[in-house]
Amino acid sequence: MARTSTNRQREIESWFHDHEDGEFAVLPAEHPSTVVGDRVVSRTVIYTTKLHCLVQNVEAFSVARPVMMLGRCGLPLPSDLIHLAEFAIDASCHFVGDADPPDVLAFAWLREHVAIGWLGVNDALLNGAQNSENAPTALSMSAAERAAMEVLPVLCPDFRELLGPYCSSVLDRGFKIELETAMMSRRSRLGD
């Protein structure tokens, strides 16, 4: 039996609430998301769990300018959806985050509501770094993140295609790749 969008959305929300450990963060609605830019003039809207990193590295992503960024750690807020659903007609919407279960599930939750693409850490972003001395450092997953690997295929069935074979294999081994380390690795490879 196929899961409906509403069921998948609720299961993702439940997972965050039941496994809140700092990685699966559920910030209160009183703690609003941060908006950088203007969605009225933006040609690209990016939702990110790592705004501090993205602001400094947005040039690493081949997206149309100007860019509006919406940043929040953990589970997105329903009130964030207005920023992702109402923007210029020719604009595109993307997610940028870590190659880890919390960010993949945050992306899957957003995708249940709006048309959004994955620009987060994946094999394409690493651009061959996995085979070099500049490969980003993989960090150990928390217990909740390791447990989430069992539900990722159900709640985000295409997560392996989003991440690519290398990043997927990192997750399968109980590790994750943070956006910050992917950006440092990228700069190192490019000689910045």
Side-chain angles (χ1 to χ4, degrees):
M1 181 174 163
R3 285 184 156 65
T4 66
S5 179
T6 303
N7 287 344
R8 185 173 287 141
Q9 169 195 327
R10 286 185 188 139
E11 288 180 47
I12 293 168
E13 291 168 0
S14 292
W15 183 269
F16 270 84
H17 286 283
D18 294 346
H19 297 88
E20 191 171 357
D21 68 346
E23 299 295 334
F24 288 97
V26 182
L27 300 177
E30 297 79 36
H31 184 274
S33 300
T34 303
V35 178
V36 176
D38 182 353
R39 75 174 184 246
V40 174
V41 298
S42 296
R43 299 212 32 239
T44 302
V45 177
I46 297 177
Y47 185 98
T48 183
T49 56
K50 297 290 180 91
L51 186 62
H52 63 282
C53 181
L54 183 60
V55 167
Q56 297 174 1
N57 294 288
V58 73
E59 72 282 346
F61 299 92
S62 297
V63 296
R65 307 290 195 269
V67 176
M68 186 199 92
M69 293 175 259
L70 180 64
R72 181 175 194 77
C73 176
L75 185 66
L77 286 173
S79 60
D80 291 337
L81 297 174
I82 187 123
H83 297 288
L84 304 174
E86 295 183 8
F87 45 81
I89 292 173
D90 63 343
S92 59
C93 185
H94 303 282
F95 178 93
V96 175
D98 302 330
D100 67 11
D103 282 7
V104 170
L105 289 177
F107 167 77
W109 186 91
L110 288 166
R111 189 169 61 178
E112 293 299 313
H113 301 280
V114 296
I116 189 168
W118 177 271
L119 280 182
V121 176
N122 62 12
D123 291 3
L125 180 66
L126 297 180
N127 194 23
Q130 62 266 26
N131 296 319
S132 76
E133 66 276 0
N134 295 324
T137 303
L139 304 172
S140 293
M141 287 186 193
S142 70
E145 288 174 316
R146 286 190 304 277
M149 289 301 296
E150 297 296 318
V151 300
L152 275 185
V154 174
L155 299 179
C156 189
D158 62 339
F159 84 93
R160 292 185 185 286
E161 290 80 30
L162 298 171
L163 300 180
Y166 173 74
C167 287
S168 294
S169 72
V170 169
L171 267 65
D172 289 337
R173 293 190 318 267
F175 294 90
K176 60 186 177 179
I177 302 174
E178 303 275 331
L179 182 62
E180 296 90 339
T181 58
M183 291 289 91
M184 286 188 294
S185 169
R186 184 179 179 89
R187 282 193 300 273
S188 177
R189 284 191 324 279
L190 298 175
D192 291 348

